[in-house]
Amino acid sequence: MGAQIREYRQRIRSVSATKKITRAMELMAAARVVKAQQAVRESTPYARAITRAVSAVATFSNEEHVLTTEKEKVTRAAVVIITSDRGLAGAYSSSVLKESERLIARLRDEGKEAVPYLLGRKAVGYYSFRGREFAADWTGDSEKPAFERAREIGIRLVDDFLKDTEAEGGVDEVHIVYSRFVSMVTQEPEVIRLLPLEIVEGTEPPAEGELFPLYEFEPTVEEVLDALLPKYVNSRLFNAMLQAAASELAARQRAMKSATDNAEELVKKYTRLANQARQAEITQEISEIVGGASALAESK
């Protein structure tokens, strides 16, 4: 009986120590997610503004640019998968990986070869464990993405998109799979096609009787597109990384809160069991004393 009580007390100490860790991680995630949300809010207006600018150039000019032109034969598609570097975030990374698997399956059904580009150690571990190949990986800053990292990735994606597919191993399309931050309780895996450029927020058509606006480009349409499109790619990619970071921290806060609540319930459970075991031990000791006293009385 004493050994059982010691075991319960040891479990209470162990669970209590774990609860302190999960509580601390919950508070850290709660503090960081506020900054992550602010970063998303600050990056979104720029992404929308540059989207409108690119939309205007692409819509109201007859210029064909390599980043906006659909290729005649699409055989290889890049799939950028944004996950976390650390665990303890519930189903955050697994939901993104599942969405990427659905996208890859759809691309294969369309006769396209999927080429993964991985962000986050969880994605790298997922592919490495299964012995699957990937084109590139970036790790170390999933919770706090830097624009320089987004620019680095954007340059690589644009370079691979501009390469010849058959001769140089380039890609014909670029897709991004990430978790979109909706609220503290809702984060949704989302897929967007980055290249060739899809106009996300195109200019509204004019009403009846109105004329399309006329744009003049200085120096030329081609040079304007050359300047705008890389910035568009980088801003869209950076916004997706910031959305993913906010989603990761929100998911981690919820997971750690759930773990803390479960630890509290376990402490209550083991405390109750330890008290019951102690009561049983005391009852047994009293019974033994009473029994011993009765035996002595009978012997006299």
Side-chain angles (χ1 to χ4, degrees), residues 18-257:
T18 301
K19 187 181 77 169
K20 290 180 181 178
I21 296 173
T22 57
R23 178 61 176 165
M25 294 184 69
E26 176 191 348
L27 295 175
M28 290 172 60
R32 291 174 179 173
V33 74
V34 174
K35 295 181 180 179
Q37 287 179 269
Q38 182 179 357
V40 172
R41 287 194 297 268
E42 291 175 351
S43 72
T44 300
Y46 176 78
R48 288 176 177 170
I50 199 166
T51 297
R52 287 193 293 269
V54 174
S55 299
V57 177
T59 303
F60 300 111
S61 71
N62 296 323
E63 185 73 26
E64 289 189 0
H65 194 277
V66 65
L67 297 184
T68 62
T69 305
E70 297 279 350
K71 297 187 179 181
E72 293 183 2
K73 185 179 180 181
V74 179
T75 57
R76 302 182 85 229
V79 178
V80 182
I81 306 171
I82 303 178
T83 63
S84 65
D85 286 317
R86 298 190 299 125
L88 302 176
Y92 164 73
S93 291
S94 62
S95 63
V96 174
L97 290 167
K98 287 178 182 177
E99 188 66 28
S100 71
E101 290 295 331
R102 285 191 285 268
L103 172 62
I104 290 171
R106 178 169 61 81
L107 293 172
R108 287 174 179 167
D109 291 341
E110 296 172 357
K112 304 171 186 177
E113 176 190 354
V115 184
Y117 292 72
L118 310 179
L119 277 71
R121 293 191 179 94
K122 287 299 178 181
V124 175
Y126 179 85
Y127 273 76
S128 299
F129 179 76
R130 289 160 177 77
R132 295 165 61 176
E133 296 182 354
F134 48 89
D137 67 278
W138 296 270
T139 59
D141 55 359
S142 69
E143 286 189 8
K144 192 176 181 181
F147 183 76
E148 285 302 315
R149 175 57 60 88
R151 192 166 68 87
E152 174 190 344
I153 300 169
I155 291 172
R156 171 65 185 273
L157 293 173
V158 171
D159 286 345
D160 287 355
F161 184 78
L162 296 177
K163 289 179 181 177
D164 183 83
T165 305
E166 295 183 1
E168 300 178 316
V171 295
D172 303 311
E173 292 179 348
V174 177
H175 302 265
I176 301 179
V177 186
Y178 69 103
S179 184
R180 182 170 61 91
F181 182 86
V182 180
S183 66
M184 286 298 296
V185 296
T186 305
Q187 299 86 43
E188 299 176 349
E190 186 164 291
V191 177
I192 60 173
R193 196 184 79 172
L194 191 64
L195 295 173
L197 173 66
E198 287 184 323
I199 303 304
V200 178
E201 297 178 4
T203 305
E204 293 292 331
E208 185 177 354
E210 292 182 341
L211 298 176
F212 281 101
L214 297 177
Y215 288 86
E216 292 184 1
F217 301 101
E218 179 68 29
T220 65
V221 175
E222 184 178 1
E223 288 177 294
V224 171
L225 285 172
D226 285 342
L228 281 179
L229 286 172
K231 289 181 171 56
Y232 170 82
V233 170
N234 296 341
S235 67
R236 288 296 303 279
L237 183 59
F238 186 49
N239 186 260
M241 293 168 67
L242 292 175
Q243 295 263 3
S247 298
E248 175 188 347
L249 291 167
R252 180 167 292 116
Q253 182 187 1
R254 288 201 318 276
M256 291 301 96
K257 184 180 187 309

Side-chain angles (χ1 to χ4, degrees), residues 256-270:
M256 291 301 96
K257 184 180 187 309
S258 177
T260 302
D261 293 343
N262 291 338
E264 290 179 356
E265 290 300 319
L266 282 175
V267 168
K268 292 178 182 178
K269 174 184 175 182
Y270 288 134

